[in-house]
Amino acid sequence: MVTIAVLLKQVPDTTARITVSDGRVDETAISTWVTSPYDEYALEVAIQHKEASGASITAITLGPPRADKVLKDAAALGVENLVRVWDDAWESLDSNQVQAALSTILEGVEADWIYCGKQSADRNQGSTGPGVAERLGMACIVEISDWDVTGAQPSFTRATSSGNERLAPTPPIVLTFTKTETELRRPNVRGIMAAKKANIEVVSADIGDAQVQVVAHNPPAQKPEGRKFEGAESVPEVVGLLRDEAKVI
Amino acid sequence: MDITIIAETQDGGLHPVTAQLVGAASSLGASLTVICPGGAGGEEACGISGVGKVLAVTGDCFATFDGGAWAEALDAVAGGDLVIGAAPTSGRDICSRIAARRGVSIIQDVINLSPGLNITHPIYSGKANQDLTVTGNCVLTLRANTFPPAPSGGTAQLSTVQQSGDVRLAVAEAFARASERLDVTDADIIISGGRGMGHPDNFRHLYEVADVIGAAVGASRAAVDTWEEIPHSLQVGQTGKTVNPSLYIAVGISGAIQHLAGMRTSKYIVAINKDPEAPIFKVADYGIVCTWEEAIPVLKEELSKLT
């Protein structure tokens, strides 16, 4: 049987204001945590793939207990197996540690198709998909913007500098997704009820020592206040400033 | 410290960001080797000041993009305690894999780098920055248009190395881009529209301005989500593209926090909005309180006079 894994990360809602206090982002000030938006597209395609192939899906997240919600939300859409990787001693893991933890779990799942977002909406790194693929000895297609998973041979489209390329890869493979125009499905009542009873397997992993230390978080540098003009008659002056002062045109 | 820089190539030559990678690495006072995937741009790389050695890596795997194969080939020839690449999609893919092959960490989209190794990169799409230190070796990708480029005048030696990797991705079909328009991530000037444009057809006015100055057209999430005619590929912001142009012109964009996250590091920002209280004015160098209908024709005319 085809086996699918999908990697999901819980992040602050993208409309959340991020505040820094004592050199760290204040996570207690974040009221809404959501599934990272790109991961939602990965999940949507994974479910389409499951529907066409009769595969089972394992959703995996790395995070503290609050991250159970992303797994429950996935269960409400029909994901069968839920795994959360965590250890209370973990904090600000570096890429090497994150990939070690996820690879360990993925080796146990033996997935043919591994779906994830192109990057998380909080760290924005884009390292996990290709990094996990390398550790598992798999190919990886990054930033997929279109797909067809309805047939026996799924295909995926990525952007290139001159257009698009469609690839019809052989599993095992890691696939990372960007946001597209596709409408994401919403859970129905039956799904929500089933998700309440869904079991989450919580596991730890050997992740080695940290190689990267966080020194401080800082708010972004504030620009000095700019100049404000009124009306279309000010446009020639602004264009003049762009040419003579900013020297950008 | 030995540093290997992975050159960013385009159209068979060197992408200008490569000189920026060299400029950033030079500040670490190390010996610099530039490796050119597929051999492109080798001669040009030799001419960048501060480069000690250039390796043109030629191999069958470079005919198409397979991050796994490229990483395997490049890692085989790349020495170095530190590997530095550029942060666009392909660079992130290759560098993630090289880090994983070496069992070291990768830090992407670095905006500040100093000996130590001290590293700063944005998190939450630029709503905050993170300062890091690294123990031992690592792999970095650097954000484009952030570090000053190393000047020309280098006289490095060029060697060619044959090295390929195991290709597992085959392209079934390639499609040329329908339009010749610049992508926002490649553009030095961007003009973006928001929901204040009123109707997706009105974006043609932005395209007209863009054509005058060679700009790319972008859009806010509100515009992309409201009008299906505006594709997600135009979206600038936290769930779209992060851009860093010399000039960003925001038209009819209120300046939601997730939009600011994607464009606030632009060198100069012009905002055109009829609402004087719009948050976009807080990050604008030059704000014009005006409807787009009145401002855009004048803007187009004035810019036409320059060219």
Side-chain angles (χ1 to χ4, degrees), chain B:
Chain B
M1 181 163 54
D2 285 331
I3 300 179
T4 297
I5 292 170
I6 299 174
E8 187 73 16
T9 59
Q10 68 172 7
D11 305 328
L14 214 55
H15 189 284
V17 74
T18 309
Q20 298 167 17
L21 304 182
V22 175
S26 299
S27 70
L28 303 177
S31 116
L32 300 184
T33 303
V34 173
I35 59 177
C36 298
E43 294 283 350
E44 283 172 80
C46 289
I48 301 173
S49 180
V51 174
K53 197 162 63 169
V54 177
L55 296 177
V57 189
T58 58
D60 296 342
C61 70
F62 295 107
T64 181
F65 184 69
D66 178 340
W70 285 41
E72 183 188 347
L74 298 176
D75 190 41
V77 300
D81 312 307
L82 177 62
V83 175
I84 298 179
T89 303
S90 57
R92 289 189 191 221
D93 183 356
I94 298 163
C95 288
S96 298
R97 283 194 177 257
I98 291 175
R101 292 178 74 84
R102 297 180 171 206
V104 301
S105 264
I106 174 151
I107 299 152
Q108 309 257 23
D109 210 22
V110 171
I111 57 169
N112 204 357
L113 182 61
S114 63
L117 205 55
N118 299 303
I119 295 157
T120 303
H121 72 148
I123 53 176
Y124 304 101
S125 301
K127 291 179 191 170
N129 290 324
Q130 177 166 256
D131 297 337
L132 303 169
T133 59
V134 179
T135 316
N137 299 341
C138 66
V139 179
L140 307 175
T141 63
L142 309 188
R143 180 176 284 197
N145 303 330
T146 303
F147 296 90
S152 55
T155 54
Q157 195 96 42
L158 175 65
S159 320
T160 300
V161 191
Q162 268 284 342
Q163 180 69 52
S164 197
D166 183 16
V167 177
R168 282 170 294 191
L169 295 179
V171 175
E173 204 177 353
F175 314 88
R177 202 192 311 279
S179 76
E180 286 296 299
R181 296 206 173 273
L182 261 180
D183 188 87
V184 287
T185 50
D186 295 328
D188 199 42
I189 302 178
I190 296 169
I191 180 163
S192 282
R195 204 157 43 186
M197 294 301 292
H199 193 280
D201 289 351
N202 293 329
F203 272 66
R204 72 185 159 86
H205 299 285
L206 303 183
Y207 281 108
E208 286 172 10
V209 174
D211 286 342
V212 173
I213 46 173
V217 171
S220 69
R221 184 173 101 178
V224 170
D225 286 355
T226 308
W227 300 311
E228 60 186 42
E229 295 88 341
I230 310 294
H232 175 253
S233 57
L234 300 192
Q235 187 183 320
V236 172
Q238 193 161 0
T239 51
K241 288 166 178 161
T242 300
V243 298
N244 196 21
S246 298
L247 174 60
Y248 189 93
I249 306 172
V251 186
I253 292 177
S254 64
I257 190 163
Q258 65 269 31
H259 187 75
L260 302 183
M263 46 63 80
R264 71 185 316 150
T265 59
S266 304
K267 204 163 160 205
Y268 282 89
I269 296 169
V270 173
I272 299 172
N273 202 299
K274 65 181 176 188
D275 173 11
E277 302 303 321
I280 191 77
F281 287 122
K282 291 206 174 73
V283 299
D285 299 277
Y286 307 113
I288 303 172
V289 182
C290 183
T291 66
W292 69 265
E293 290 94 332
E294 292 171 292
I296 292 296
V298 187
L299 180 64
K300 189 180 151 198
E301 190 190 328
E302 290 297 312
L303 292 171
S304 304
K305 288 184 198 162
L306 298 175
T307 51

Side-chain angles (χ1 to χ4, degrees), chain A residues 43-63:
Chain A
L43 177 61
E44 171 63 33
V45 186
I47 293 170
Q48 290 179 12
H49 193 169
K50 167 195 151 106
E51 288 172 343
S53 64
S56 70
I57 304 183
T58 301
I60 302 165
T61 193
L62 188 162

Side-chain angles (χ1 to χ4, degrees), chain A residues 15-29:
Chain A
T15 60
R17 190 163 293 282
I18 299 296
T19 53
V20 177
S21 69
D22 294 332
R24 288 290 184 277
V25 165
D26 182 7
E27 292 198 341
T28 62

Side-chain angles (χ1 to χ4, degrees), chain A residues 102-113:
Chain A
L102 293 172
S103 301
T104 303
I105 307 310
L106 286 164
E107 274 169 1
V109 172
E110 294 185 2
D112 310 292
W113 306 89

